[in-house]
């Protein structure tokens, strides 16, 4: 009997304890379930409850083609085009650019917002709610200082591609050194090192900013470039404070090769006889931009049977240049137009007496045609005396970095494929 009593007491205690625990648990207030926070829209728009339709603009596609399927009448579309005129005309939409439509979740997917993406930073918003509003915006940009370096294996652009470095940096580097280095004749084992600004949006590289300092070892000689902004305009200077801008660029094309030099007796491939060739031929694909080698005034932008489409520029009382066989002229190029050094004046072609696409570059000095490759280039706009000491401090700081060996270099690829999606 005693054992049965003890067992009963233990059982009763266990049941009551379990009941207390159960009631205690059930009496606790339930945890409050927080609603899931909406992810911030990449364009900072109030699009909660809307669907996102992402697309790229096709060749020949109009605003009507894009918006009529989203319950917008032609009259409404005309209003949108009118509202955009002074902000970003819709005729400026380009094929392959991205477009986002934010629409209601109804059967017609009625558009509320349109976002046209100009580039990774800039975009245009079309707010179609109530009255139409059109405005430009920019995504926040983060700028970081990057160093890249390498040894030439083939060409400058091929080396950059092999090292997965943004090609826009190669073009900027060529711009800086175009009066110093003949990029048509760089050699294997020439090398470079460059500090520059890399721009990021949403932690993704989107472009190259300023080059801050660079060195290019060309044919066993170092060529330095330092950015300095205390003069009238920010520009690049060598270690002595001389401007890297010269009187004339070495060539009217960025990347090409010479196919025929200045000669007093050259066999003409079309006329089939020997005659003077008072110019330098640079071969390049049709459509390659041709640049004015120095600032000046356009004397002529015309056509003749032998020269094809050509531009002639007077730079000063001493120098004149001419560019032959263009496929077409650049916008705004006509007699009397003022051009800057490096400005695009036309595009490579094969008009006139030409066997293939190239530009024949001609150079006059005091009214006589001369070989531009033999002319002495002259330095312009060196660092002023008042800024020389400050420049030297900046230059020495960068020189130490540029001459430092075995510094790790970071290569960045800022490419990215566009996709179509409907979410």
């Amino acid at each position: 009997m005693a054992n049965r009593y003890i067992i009963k007491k233990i059982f009763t205690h266990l049941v009551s304890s379990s009941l207390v625990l159960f009631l205690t648990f059930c009496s606790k207030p339930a945890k409050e379930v927080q609603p899931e926070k909406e992810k911030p829209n990449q364009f900072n728009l109030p699009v909660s409850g809307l669907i996102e339709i992402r697309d790229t603009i096709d060749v020949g596609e109009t605003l009507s083609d894009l918006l009529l399927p989203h319950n917008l009448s032609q009259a409404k579309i005309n209003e949108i085009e009118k509202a955009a005129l002074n902000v970003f005309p819709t005729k400026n939409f380009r094929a392959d650019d991205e477009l986002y439509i934010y629409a209601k979740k109804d059967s017609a997917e009625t558009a509320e917002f349109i976002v046209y993406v100009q580039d990774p930073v800039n975009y245009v918003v079309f707010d179609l709610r109530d009255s139409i509003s059109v405005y430009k915006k920019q995504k926040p940009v983060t700028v970081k200082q990057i160093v890249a370096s390498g040894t030439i294996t083939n060409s400058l652009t091929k080396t950059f591609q092999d090292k997965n470095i943004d090609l826009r940096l190669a073009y900027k580097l060529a711009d800086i050194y175009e009066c110093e280095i003949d990029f048509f004749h760089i050699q294997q084992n020439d090398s470079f090192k460059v500090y520059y600004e890399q721009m990021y949006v949403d932690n993704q590289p989107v472009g190259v900013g300023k080059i801050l300092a660079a060195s290019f070892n060309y044919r066993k000689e170092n060529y330095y470039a330092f950015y300095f902004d205390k003069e009238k305009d920010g520009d690049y200077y060598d270690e002595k404070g001389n401007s890297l801008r010269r009187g004339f660029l070495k060539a009217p094309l960025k990347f090409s090769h010479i196919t025929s030099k200045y000669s007093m007796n050259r066999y003409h491939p079309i006329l089939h006889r020997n005659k003077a060739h008072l110019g330098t031929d640079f071969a390049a694909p049709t459509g390659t931009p041709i640049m004015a080698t120095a600032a000046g005034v356009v004397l002529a932008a015309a056509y003749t049977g032998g020269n094809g489409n050509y531009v002639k520029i007077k730079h000063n009382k001493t120098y004149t240049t001419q560019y032959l066989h263009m496929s077409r002229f650049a916008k705004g190029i006509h007699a009397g137009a003022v051009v800057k050094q490096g400005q695009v004046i036309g595009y490579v072609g094969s008009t006139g007496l030409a066997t293939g696409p190239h530009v024949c570059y001609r150079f006059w000095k005091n009214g006589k045609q001369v070989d531009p490759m033999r002319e002495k280039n002259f330095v312009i706009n060196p660092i002023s005396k008042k800024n020389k000491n400050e420049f030297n401090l900046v230059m020495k700081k960068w020189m130490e970095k540029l001459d430092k060996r075995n510094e790790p270099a970071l290569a960045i690829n800022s490419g990215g494929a566009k996709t179509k999606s409907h979410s």
Side-chain angles (χ1 to χ4, degrees):
M1 289 292 291
N3 287 341
R4 287 179 64 191
Y5 176 78
I6 292 170
I7 290 169
K8 186 177 179 181
K9 291 287 284 181
I10 291 172
F11 178 78
T12 303
H13 177 73
L14 287 173
V15 169
S16 62
S17 298
S18 299
L19 184 62
V20 169
L21 286 171
F22 176 77
L23 291 173
T24 301
F25 175 79
C26 290
S27 64
K28 282 185 180 180
K31 287 184 179 180
E32 185 179 351
V33 179
Q34 298 290 338
E36 186 179 347
K37 288 185 179 179
E38 183 184 359
K39 292 181 180 179
N41 173 263
Q42 62 172 316
F43 303 113
N44 245 354
L45 296 174
V47 296
S48 178
L50 301 180
I51 57 173
E52 178 187 88
I53 302 159
R54 181 175 56 181
D55 206 342
T56 52
I57 299 172
D58 293 330
V59 176
E61 198 167 24
T62 66
L63 193 63
S64 297
D65 296 330
L66 293 162
L67 298 185
L68 284 173
H70 294 284
N71 202 29
L72 293 176
S73 67
Q74 188 60 55
K76 183 81 168 180
I77 294 168
N78 292 342
E79 285 182 47
I80 294 169
E81 290 177 330
K82 186 176 179 181
L85 275 177
N86 295 325
V87 182
F88 189 85
T90 57
K91 68 178 182 180
N92 291 346
F93 283 13
R94 298 176 304 183
D96 295 329
D97 278 355
E98 286 185 313
L99 189 83
Y100 289 77
I101 296 174
Y102 293 93
K104 292 179 182 177
K105 293 180 179 177
D106 53 23
S107 58
E109 293 184 351
T110 305
E112 295 271 285
F113 294 96
I114 307 166
V115 179
Y116 174 78
V117 181
Q118 291 177 266
D119 54 51
V121 177
N122 300 284
Y123 59 94
V124 185
V125 176
F126 298 78
D127 185 345
L128 310 183
R129 303 169 302 168
D130 303 324
S131 60
I132 297 168
S133 173
V134 182
Y135 54 90
K136 291 181 178 181
K137 294 284 285 183
Q138 288 186 326
K139 290 187 176 183
V141 178
T142 302
V143 179
K144 296 180 182 179
Q145 189 184 111
I146 302 293
V147 56
S149 62
T151 300
I152 302 299
T153 53
N154 185 300
S155 67
L156 184 64
T157 52
K158 182 68 167 61
T159 301
F160 270 58
Q161 288 173 330
D162 291 345
K163 292 181 72 64
N164 203 31
I165 304 174
D166 194 324
L167 271 181
R168 286 169 288 194
L169 182 62
Y171 299 135
K172 282 179 177 282
L173 207 57
D175 282 342
I176 291 171
Y177 284 117
E178 60 191 347
C179 293
E180 295 289 304
I181 295 172
D182 184 353
F183 283 100
F184 311 129
H185 294 98
I186 57 175
Q187 301 173 334
Q188 283 193 3
N189 298 321
D190 287 347
S191 60
F192 64 89
K193 187 174 184 180
V194 54
Y195 288 85
Y196 66 101
E197 294 175 341
Q198 178 74 48
M199 297 183 292
Y200 294 83
V201 170
D202 300 328
N203 293 320
Q204 295 298 314
V206 296
V208 174
K210 286 195 301 289
I211 286 179
L212 303 171
S215 64
F216 207 108
N217 188 273
Y218 172 63
R219 300 192 175 191
K220 300 182 180 179
E221 184 176 349
N222 270 335
Y223 290 81
Y224 292 97
F226 305 98
Y227 181 75
F228 189 69
D229 61 1
K230 295 299 192 297
E231 295 290 306
K232 184 179 178 181
D233 298 304
D235 213 338
Y236 294 91
Y237 300 86
D238 65 17
E239 68 276 19
K240 296 178 182 178
N242 291 322
S243 172
L244 293 183
R245 308 299 174 194
R246 295 291 191 267
F248 289 86
L249 305 181
K250 280 190 173 293
L253 304 177
K254 279 198 187 306
F255 299 103
S256 179
H257 62 281
I258 295 173
T259 54
S260 183
K261 295 182 179 180
Y262 180 98
S263 170
M264 297 306 295
N265 189 27
R266 184 197 71 156
Y267 180 77
H268 197 286
I270 295 178
L271 299 178
H272 302 295
R273 60 185 174 85
N274 286 353
K275 68 187 297 282
H277 181 246
L278 304 181
T280 305
D281 289 349
F282 295 88
T286 298
T288 301
I290 299 169
M291 303 175 296
T293 54
V297 177
V298 176
L299 293 177
Y303 178 90
T304 63
N307 295 340
N309 292 319
Y310 74 91
V311 171
K312 194 170 186 178
I313 301 172
K314 183 177 179 63
H315 303 287
N316 52 37
K317 64 181 181 180
T318 304
Y319 296 105
T320 302
T321 57
Q322 190 180 24
Y323 313 78
L324 313 183
H325 310 306
M326 295 179 173
S327 57
R328 60 188 174 94
F329 306 120
K331 186 177 180 181
I333 299 302
H334 54 79
V338 177
V339 295
K340 297 179 180 179
Q341 185 179 58
Q343 180 177 336
V344 175
I345 56 173
Y347 302 88
V348 168
S350 51
T351 57
L353 291 178
T355 56
H358 73 285
V359 58
C360 178
Y361 175 53
R362 302 199 170 198
F363 197 95
W364 280 263
K365 181 178 181 180
N366 294 320
K368 181 183 176 182
Q369 287 196 63
V370 297
D371 184 354
M373 301 302 155
R374 293 179 179 272
E375 285 299 301
K376 222 174 187 181
N377 223 333
F378 48 90
V379 176
I380 55 176
N381 302 325
I383 291 288
S384 60
K385 288 182 179 179
K386 69 175 184 178
N387 288 324
K388 193 65 183 286
N389 288 338
E390 186 174 354
F391 168 77
N392 284 336
L393 291 174
V394 172
M395 179 270 294
K396 287 175 182 176
K397 179 194 79 170
W398 285 117
M399 183 80 85
E400 288 179 7
K401 287 177 173 286
L402 291 168
D403 289 345
K404 186 177 179 181
R405 294 182 178 276
N406 301 321
E407 184 173 5
L410 177 61
I412 291 181
N413 178 20
S414 58
K418 292 181 179 178
T419 58
K420 292 190 177 186
S421 71
H422 186 157
S423 58

